[in-house]
Amino acid sequence: MDKEIHLQNEINKLQKDNIDLLNHGKTQYEKALVDLVKNMNDNTNGNLLDRLYCYCKGEKEQNLMFIATNFFNVFRQMGISPRETIKLGSSVSIEEYSFYNYRLNKDISDIKLCEGTVIYPSWFYNSTEILKPYVNVKGE
């Protein structure tokens, strides 16, 4: 009986620890989102959110190149950046089992082999690829 109580106490402790870890993960996620918003609207980064909002509302004439450049600078500071792992505009062959190497504009599950053009780069967080290159598949 004591062994059962001890095991139940262990289970309860592990469940509490698990809940604490989940809550910590949620808190860290929320903190990261808040940090992103603050960084994007920081004076040193050109108040990007304010500028984008005003641009979309037509309130102010904004230099879109300035906004876009600073937008990517904020992400680069956070370790997120595009890379042309395959040069944009390049033609690629997509085989039945290699389509997982790309993001595709359409489902090719019925196609054995097709061609496509790389139109968007890969995206990385530090050295980890988080998005594959985007390929526009030719044909039907």
Side-chain angles (χ1 to χ4, degrees):
M1 188 69 151
D2 286 341
K3 189 174 185 177
E4 287 178 23
I5 292 172
H6 175 72
L7 289 174
Q8 187 59 49
N9 288 340
E10 276 297 308
I11 289 171
N12 291 341
K13 181 185 179 306
L14 290 172
Q15 287 175 334
K16 182 190 176 308
D17 290 347
N18 192 31
I19 289 170
D20 289 345
L21 285 171
L22 288 172
N23 287 334
H24 178 72
K26 181 181 176 197
T27 301
Q28 292 303 308
Y29 176 77
E30 290 170 353
K31 182 183 179 315
L33 288 176
V34 168
D35 287 347
L36 174 62
V37 169
K38 285 181 178 179
N39 285 339
M40 289 186 72
N41 215 39
D42 188 86
N43 283 337
T44 59
N45 293 319
N47 302 93
L48 293 176
L49 290 180
D50 291 337
R51 288 174 183 263
L52 282 170
Y53 181 80
C54 289
Y55 180 80
C56 291
K57 290 291 191 177
E59 296 294 322
K60 291 183 178 177
E61 178 93 17
Q62 298 294 334
N63 181 341
L64 209 47
M65 183 61 79
F66 170 81
I67 293 171
T69 300
N70 281 358
F71 180 83
F72 289 110
N73 286 339
V74 168
F75 278 104
R76 196 168 286 110
Q77 290 168 8
M78 298 178 77
I80 299 169
S81 61
R83 290 190 198 156
E84 288 190 46
T85 53
I86 303 172
K87 187 171 172 51
L88 297 182
S90 294
S91 183
V92 292
S93 293
I94 304 164
E95 298 175 18
E96 185 176 6
Y97 298 105
S98 71
F99 65 89
Y100 61 86
N101 290 322
Y102 312 102
R103 294 178 288 151
L104 304 173
N105 65 317
K106 60 180 149 186
D107 183 19
I108 63 161
S109 59
D110 296 335
I111 300 172
K112 296 284 186 218
L113 176 68
C114 63
E115 295 286 320
T117 304
V118 178
I119 57 172
Y120 299 128
S122 301
W123 285 86
F124 283 77
Y125 174 68
N126 294 327
S127 60
T128 303
E129 187 177 45
I130 54 177
L131 287 173
K132 305 283 185 193
Y134 188 91
V135 173
N136 186 20
V137 176
K138 297 176 185 168
E140 293 184 17

